[in-house]
């Protein structure tokens, strides 16, 4: 009886949903739970598949859903489900979710060797479960630079957008911020668009009108339930390669993974020519797993006692994190919690803002002494105001990734070398000057204390923003020094398995067979103002290409 009632209510909700009443999935329990979603502990010890995807993240989910149209697919995700977890789904809990650190929490903190506090995802849906939700496409030029076909990229963006992208309802703060950008000369006004256009625009968001987050996991609704298995708490330990004599490359044929109880499972490819293993474990996870599996710089692997399958010095190179610098604007006004809704696009930098979920709190959320910290950090909500920040579009400074040890659960060591190149400092100074003009705009004046100069806001920001870098002993408030000393992350780190260096144009790993990498680790730049749209698009795009079995170009 109860079940019948529940079904009836669900169908009413669905009806209202399809009628366009904005009434889709009003509570968490009504969110689709997939029949093919299971915990790894319930999986057989050995299984066979056509495709094995490591990482059910931003790229892995759309890729797996697409490949399941024709093939048997296994997705291994080390994290848990985003469904029914308000920490993931509620915008108001964005900062708390980043701060919440346990061995299984959706966000995993890491601190780069540079001393910048950062975060990586551990959740089905990957970065889309813990990010700020801003949705903005790569430019046409960037899509071409990635070697992708414009038409298929367009179709793939649309496929993603009909499920997870929304038009934001602008808050008072963002409307003023948008006018401020235009006053500061970041023109023209391009209105609401997903497209990457010079000037100021309203972008999309993965938070719907009710403030509920949608993630890449929602794209699994396109999967064929008969052909896909998605395992949670399945942590890949290594890829297995077989050697087929001198004339052939080593061939990937299986993945060893552990469930949450620590039991080992093995997944193998069927003996067919189509089968492949695909790494979609992200910019930290994919190079880490390649190295753990014996593909990487031989001396480094040997120093850790890892048997070398392929000496590939470029694995882990080209790690890049677009530096973010922020200025805080305390406000006499009560400001609604606002995630990123508007962006100012200049060739060398992008300007965005947030309130409530402010950058100070977000960076404090990351302040912990180590990866095993289990207690949540208390966030002070006493701060009233907004944060305006800039992201360098294409920093020249690059770094590298190394293994810390042989434990796949541990963060690898990553160095981004922020502002190593002088041009990056110059671009940052120019960007901060624009931020200052926005703060000084007429439009934003009602959100500011009239007696606080921009210069004093820079000094205030320098005193409260958090990273673990050494500061210039004399002064951090010259803009050059501010860029270096107060650098933070916008969490758009990428690289490590770059195109043309570690993978070819088909995203196939050079020097081995039956292995691809499809995620942000292949990027040579961060596409769009914010990358998630392009990462999801790429998952769909490559799935379609692989189904068609097309060669590129
Ligand atoms: C706090 C934060 C805010 C951000 N804000 C925005 C924003 O507003 N807009 C935007 O466009 N972008 C934003 N980003 C960036 C964007 O979310 C990421 O660039 C993108 O999600 C990366 O996608 P990916 O597929 O490369 O990796 P991920 O999405 O991280 O996917 C990798 C997946 O692999 C899994 N994995 C890793 N290792 C293993 C293993 N050994 N075994 C099994 N599974 C494994 C991980 O758990 C994860 O789910 C933000 C990111 C963060 C962290
Ligand atoms: C591969 O193996 C799986 C599981 O045994 C099976 O469902 C699938 O049809 C196989 N694919 C091919 C191409 O043989
Ligand atoms: C959400 O985060 C809080 C800490 O902010 C934590 O106590 C709670 O257990 C988390 N909920 C889930 C479902 O993980
Ligand atoms: C695949 O082929 C190998 C050797 O030819 C054989 O040992 C193995 O059992 C085969 N696996 C499957 C799933 O058929
Ligand atoms: C980080 O937290 C520790 C302990 O709470 C504190 O002592 C330290 O000052 C904090 N670091 C920064 C940079 O704020
Ligand atoms: C600025 O004005 C506010 C009240 O409007 C006051 O509380 C604050 O102390 C003043 N700050 C400075 C630096 O004068
Ligand atoms: C601080 O200022 C002194 C005197 O101007 C200068 O000699 C010194 O190099 C500066 N220190 C740093 C770290 O810039």
């Amino acid at each position: 009886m109860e079940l019948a009632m529940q079904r009836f209510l669900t169908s009413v909700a669905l009806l209202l949903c399809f009628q366009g009443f904005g009434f889709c999935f009003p509570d968490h329990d009504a969110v689709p739970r997939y029949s093919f979603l299971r915990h790894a502990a319930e999986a057989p010890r050995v299984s066979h598949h056509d495709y094995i995807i490591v990482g059910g993240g931003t790229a892995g989910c759309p890729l797996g859903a697409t490949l399941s149209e024709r093939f048997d697919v296994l997705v291994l995700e080390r994290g848990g489900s985003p469904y029914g977890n308000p920490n993931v789904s509620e915008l108001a809990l964005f900062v708390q979710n980043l701060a919440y650190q346990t061995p299984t929490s959706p966000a995993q903190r890491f601190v780069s060797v540079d001393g910048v506090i950062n975060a990586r995802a551990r959740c089905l849906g990957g970065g889309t479960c813990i990010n700020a939700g801003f949705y903005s496409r790569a430019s046409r030029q960037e899509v071409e630079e990635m070697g992708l076909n414009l038409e298929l990229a367009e179709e793939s963006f649309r496929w993603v957008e009909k499920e997870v992208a929304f038009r934001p309802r602008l808050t008072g703060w963002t409307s003023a911020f948008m006018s401020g950008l235009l006053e500061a000369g970041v023109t023209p006004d391009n209105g609401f668009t997903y497209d990457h256009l010079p000037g100021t625009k309203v972008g999309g968001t993965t938070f719907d009108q009710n403030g509920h987050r949608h993630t890449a996991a929602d794209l699994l609704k396109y999967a064929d339930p008969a052909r896909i298995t998605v395992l949670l708490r399945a942590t890949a330990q290594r890829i297995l390669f077989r050697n087929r004599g001198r004339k052939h490359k080593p061939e990937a044929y299986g993945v060893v993974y552990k469930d949450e109880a620590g039991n080992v499972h093995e997944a193998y490819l069927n003996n067919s020519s189509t089968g492949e293993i695909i790494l979609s474990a992200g910019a930290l996870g994919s190079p880490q797993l390649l190295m753990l599996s014996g593909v990487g710089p031989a001396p480094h692997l040997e120093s850790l006692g890892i048997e070398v399958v392929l000496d590939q010095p470029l694995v882990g190179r080209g790690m890049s994190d677009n530096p973010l610098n922020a200025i805080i604007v305390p406000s006499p006004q009560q400001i609604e919690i606002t995630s990123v809704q508007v962006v100012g696009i200049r060739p060398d930098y992008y300007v965005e803002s947030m309130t409530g979920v402010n950058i100070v709190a977000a960076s404090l959320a990351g302040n912990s002494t180590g990866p095993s910290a289990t207690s949540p950090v208390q966030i002070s909500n006493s701060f009233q105001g907004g944060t305006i920040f800039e992201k360098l579009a294409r920093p020249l400074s690059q770094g590298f990734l190394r293994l810390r040890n042989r434990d796949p659960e541990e963060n690898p060591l990553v160095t981004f070398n922020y502002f190593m190149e002088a041009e990056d400092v110059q671009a940052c100074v120019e960007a901060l000057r624009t931020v200052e003009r926005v703060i000084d705009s007429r439009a934003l004046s009602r959100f500011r204390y009239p007696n606080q100069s921009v210069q004093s806001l820079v000094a205030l920001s320098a005193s409260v923003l958090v990273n673990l870098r050494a500061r210039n002993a004399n002064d951090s408030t010259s803009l050059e020094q501010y860029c270096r000393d107060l650098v933070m992350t916008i969490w758009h780190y990428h690289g490590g398995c770059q195109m043309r260096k570690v993978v070819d144009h088909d995203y196939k790993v050079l020097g081995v067979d039956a292995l691809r990498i499809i995620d942000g680790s292949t990027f040579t730049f961060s596409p769009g103002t914010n990358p998630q749209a392009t990462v999801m698009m790429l998952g769909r795009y490559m799935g379609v290409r692989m189904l068609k079995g097309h060669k590129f170009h």
Side-chain angles (χ1 to χ4, degrees), residues 309-506:
V309 171
L310 178 73
D311 178 14
Q312 220 307 13
L314 299 177
V315 174
R317 307 304 303 198
M319 292 301 304
S320 183
D321 190 25
N322 305 64
L324 171 150
N325 280 86
I327 302 179
I328 294 164
V329 184
S331 176
Q333 294 212 31
Q334 182 84 29
I335 303 180
E336 222 181 306
I337 289 182
T338 316
S339 193
V340 182
Q341 301 184 320
V342 162
V343 61
I345 301 180
R346 287 290 212 188
D348 295 340
Y349 58 89
Y350 311 126
V351 180
E352 301 180 354
S353 84
M354 282 197 201
T355 76
V357 288
N358 66 76
I359 292 286
V360 188
S363 60
L364 280 170
N367 179 21
S368 162
T369 44
S372 59
T374 51
S375 63
V377 176
Q378 293 305 310
I379 305 304
S380 153
N381 277 326
S382 59
F383 173 76
Q384 271 293 320
T387 304
I388 300 181
F389 52 91
E390 51 80 16
K391 164 191 176 178
L392 286 202
R394 296 210 184 194
L396 298 176
S397 310
Q398 292 202 336
F400 58 93
L401 177 147
R402 285 280 185 268
L403 296 177
R404 195 186 294 270
N405 53 36
R406 290 171 59 168
D407 184 354
E409 316 261 350
E410 279 262 8
N411 287 317
L413 284 168
V414 54
T415 306
F416 292 118
N417 288 323
Y418 300 100
F419 296 116
M420 193 175 67
E421 304 288 340
E423 284 101 316
D424 292 347
V425 181
Q426 283 323 302
C428 175
V429 167
E430 196 195 321
L432 281 175
R433 292 216 171 97
T434 301
V435 172
E436 290 185 335
R437 286 204 299 281
V438 175
I439 293 173
D440 257 343
S441 66
R442 250 182 310 113
L444 225 71
S445 61
R446 72 190 169 97
F447 288 103
R448 272 178 70 188
Y449 288 104
N451 58 358
Q452 276 183 324
S453 65
V454 172
Q455 187 54 38
S456 76
L457 294 180
V458 173
L460 170 75
S461 303
S463 72
V464 298
L465 292 174
V466 176
N467 64 28
L468 308 175
R469 281 160 83 81
R471 305 247 174 131
N472 182 306
N474 298 330
D475 184 20
S476 284
T477 58
S478 79
L479 290 186
E480 282 81 2
Q481 206 56 47
Y482 191 80
C483 288
R484 292 180 198 275
D485 288 1
L486 278 306
V487 62
M488 297 195 293
T489 182
I490 189 168
W491 307 287
H492 298 173
Y493 52 86
H494 55 277
C497 301
Q498 286 186 324
M499 164 105 23
R500 291 181 207 91
K501 299 202 167 120
V502 175
V503 297
D504 68 11
H505 272 102
D506 295 329

